[in-house]
Amino acid sequence: MAQLRADFGEHVGMMSIGPAGEKRLVAASIQFGDQQGRPSRAAGRGGLGALMGSKGLKALVVDERGSAPHLPMADPEKFKAAARQWAKILVNHPVSGQALPTYGTAVLINIVNDAGALPTQNFRRGQFAAAADLSGEKMVELIKQRGGKTKKGCHPGCVIQCSQIYHDATGKYLTSGFEYESIWALGAHTTIRDLDCIAQLDRLCDDLGLDTIETGVALGVMMEGGLIPWGDGPAALDMVKKVASDDPWGLILGNGSAYVGQALGVARVPVVKRQGLPAYDPRAEKGIGLTYATSPMGGDHTAGYTVATNILGCGGKTDPLKKEGQIELSRNLQIATAVLDCTGICLFTAFAVLDNPEALPCIVDMINARYGLDLRADDIVALGQQVLQDERGFNRDAGFTPAHDRLPEFFKEKLAPHNVTWDFTDAEIDQVLKDI
Ligand code: SF4
């Protein structure tokens, strides 16, 4: 990206793949440059970097000079009024207005650990003894000591600003966009306890164009198979560096958790539809287990983030340890998320949307004012359902069946500290998206 910026100027926007995408590895991400031109944000999941690599497409550069100064608006005044109301809704909510800008998504480390749902050592336990050392609170303390930055937007218009710049112990830039999911996958999951080492791994993933969740989960499977010792940060760094080389283990790691499990003969591999599971244990956060199982994208938390209600209490309160209410919760949030994704609005607005009845009508007002439409809230809910129908239809044509909507067998083991198991029946799982 530094070369692209040198060639095209500091004003351009950039997205690019790295060696992982060029080699068409399934954990390859597409990286997006921040305002400083660093590859700090990622389209991480699903191997999109490999898709670009397969087309021989290395990077896209967007130069806005010469374009119209503003998007055409059917009703500019109505749009402005709705956008002002939208910004107020976001800044007045405790998650989007306080927790995320202050600590970033890493605020979740302590919260999810306290809930007993922080997957530790390849989903053996729900709490990590070193969680406080990896927490958002610790990260912010180090950022302040070392001269980094908190409360940073990944684009200039963001009113939440959950991103940050993390410096190393000498005060030099190390990484940015240092997310909860990355810290968990490269940290609690592998039992690496050193936040600076995790930041180096995060940076390496950004530079090589690798999904941090898939890479972290795959490193844990390598540890499970005895290839790397548990918690060995330097060994993990050496292994990730191999992705850019001709070393076969680099290729195996870059092809993700399921592939590593096959290579090493490991049975305990936390994947659904061959995608590594994210940072919530489905036994202690049962709703997210249903989302992992049924999302057409494979093991994915963003598709229906039940954690918002189960653990953060947004949009009501359900018990994350119990099955009651979880099928409806996962289904409704999968529909709502499909809608939000269609608008291009950041998912981190969802907490406020769940709690404020004026938020959804406000989104509809913005869409109507932009395009001169007359949509109602029901129309966009139908749009979300249509998206899920299309995705499920695609999967069916590709040979997926309900048998693929299942969690790995080892989730029948009890999980400490709540001693809970994954206890949804196949018939119950199949209810989640049945009538969509
Ligand atoms: S809230 Fe969303 S848009 Fe804003 S900085 Fe965070 S990820 Fe980026």
Side-chain angles (χ1 to χ4, degrees):
M1 281 200 177
Q3 188 60 52
L4 289 174
R5 210 160 138 101
D7 290 349
F8 294 98
E10 295 194 354
H11 59 285
V12 298
M14 299 172 287
M15 57 190 275
S16 169
I17 57 167
E22 289 167 25
K23 294 179 184 197
R24 306 176 195 184
L25 305 181
V26 302
S29 63
I30 300 171
Q31 295 293 140
F32 295 81
D34 62 9
Q35 291 98 319
Q36 288 73 39
R38 294 165 177 147
S40 73
R41 288 301 200 194
R45 311 239 66 201
L48 282 176
L51 183 64
M52 267 179 73
S54 73
K55 307 288 177 202
L57 185 57
K58 171 71 181 157
L60 284 172
V61 176
V62 179
D63 186 339
E64 65 174 0
R65 288 176 307 179
S67 62
H70 299 292
L71 284 175
M73 291 286 163
D75 188 338
E77 288 313 312
K78 192 174 167 198
F79 186 87
K80 253 191 240 164
R84 264 198 294 269
Q85 187 196 3
W86 176 240
K88 248 191 224 157
I89 289 170
L90 296 180
V91 296
N92 286 335
H93 191 274
V95 175
S96 51
Q98 290 164 28
L100 286 173
T102 308
Y103 298 112
T105 53
V107 70
L108 285 167
I109 292 275
N110 278 336
I111 294 171
V112 179
N113 193 56
D114 287 349
L118 187 74
T120 300
Q121 198 178 12
N122 197 20
F123 290 78
R124 274 197 174 69
R125 299 179 294 285
Q127 288 183 321
F128 185 38
D133 296 336
L134 310 186
S135 63
E137 290 83 343
K138 182 71 187 177
M139 178 183 78
V140 167
E141 184 189 318
L142 293 174
I143 287 173
K144 288 188 173 155
Q145 277 171 17
R146 297 169 173 184
K149 179 163 174 37
T150 58
K151 203 171 187 304
K152 184 175 181 296
C154 62
H155 66 89
C158 177
V159 297
I160 300 176
Q161 300 192 308
C162 76
S163 193
Q164 65 299 112
I165 295 175
Y166 184 89
H167 286 179
D168 67 15
T170 68
K172 262 179 46 194
Y173 173 84
L174 184 48
T175 195
S176 58
F178 200 17
E179 300 293 331
Y180 166 70
E181 293 288 336
S182 310
I183 294 172
W184 161 77
L186 301 161
H189 174 69
T190 62
T191 68
I192 294 172
R193 295 163 170 248
D194 176 358
L195 194 58
D196 284 345
C197 177
I198 295 166
Q200 287 174 47
L201 285 162
D202 182 63
R203 166 74 178 276
L204 200 49
C205 287
D206 288 352
D207 284 346
L208 300 180
L210 282 168
D211 175 23
T212 53
I213 298 178
E214 195 63 53
T215 305
V217 173
L219 284 170
V221 176
M222 284 186 160
M223 291 172 180
E224 187 75 45
L227 194 66
I228 310 175
W230 285 108
D232 190 336
L237 279 163
D238 285 346
M239 183 59 74
V240 177
K241 283 177 192 158
K242 292 183 200 291
V243 173
S245 75
D246 293 330
D247 189 305
W249 282 113
L251 290 176
I252 292 168
L253 175 67
N255 270 318
S257 324
Y259 201 77
V260 170
Q262 282 175 309
L264 291 171
V266 171
R268 190 185 185 87
V269 182
V271 293
V272 172
K273 301 184 182 78
R274 295 183 70 82
Q275 178 156 262
L277 296 185
Y280 313 89
D281 197 297
R283 290 162 287 189
E285 209 300 48
K286 291 189 188 288
I288 206 74
L290 292 173
T291 300
Y292 292 163
T294 58
S295 164
M297 291 182 279
D300 178 62
H301 59 299
T302 62
Y305 190 65
T306 59
V307 178
T309 305
N310 277 327
I311 293 183
L312 301 176
C314 297
K317 187 75 185 96
T318 32
D319 185 341
L321 304 177
K322 301 226 168 89
K323 296 204 290 188
E324 285 73 38
Q326 302 295 346
I327 290 174
E328 297 73 23
L329 185 64
S330 175
R331 177 195 301 131
N332 292 339
L333 288 176
Q334 289 197 57
I335 295 168
T337 305
V339 170
L340 212 55
D341 286 350
C342 287
T343 65
I345 292 174
C346 176
L347 182 62
F348 297 157
T349 62
F351 307 103
V353 175
L354 284 168
D355 275 339
N356 192 324
E358 292 176 10
L360 185 60
C362 190
I363 294 174
V364 178
D365 283 349
M366 286 191 284
I367 295 171
N368 285 339
R370 163 79 172 87
Y371 295 106
L373 300 172
D374 195 18
L375 297 176
R376 292 163 304 133
D378 285 354
D379 296 322
I380 67 167
V381 171
L383 175 69
Q385 287 172 320
Q386 184 63 53
V387 168
L388 289 171
Q389 277 168 19
D390 291 348
E391 290 179 350
R392 280 157 62 77
F394 180 94
N395 278 4
R396 264 194 304 276
D397 291 347
F400 285 87
T401 69
H404 294 95
D405 292 349
R406 303 289 179 257
L407 297 190
E409 278 293 303
F410 73 81
F411 284 116
K412 291 191 176 140
E413 293 169 12
K414 280 190 181 165
L415 178 79
H418 297 298
N419 292 326
V420 275
T421 60
W422 175 250
D423 50 1
F424 279 103
T425 64
D426 290 353
E428 286 169 332
I429 295 169
D430 293 342
Q431 287 298 312
V432 177
L433 298 182
K434 184 166 182 278
D435 300 321
I436 287 180

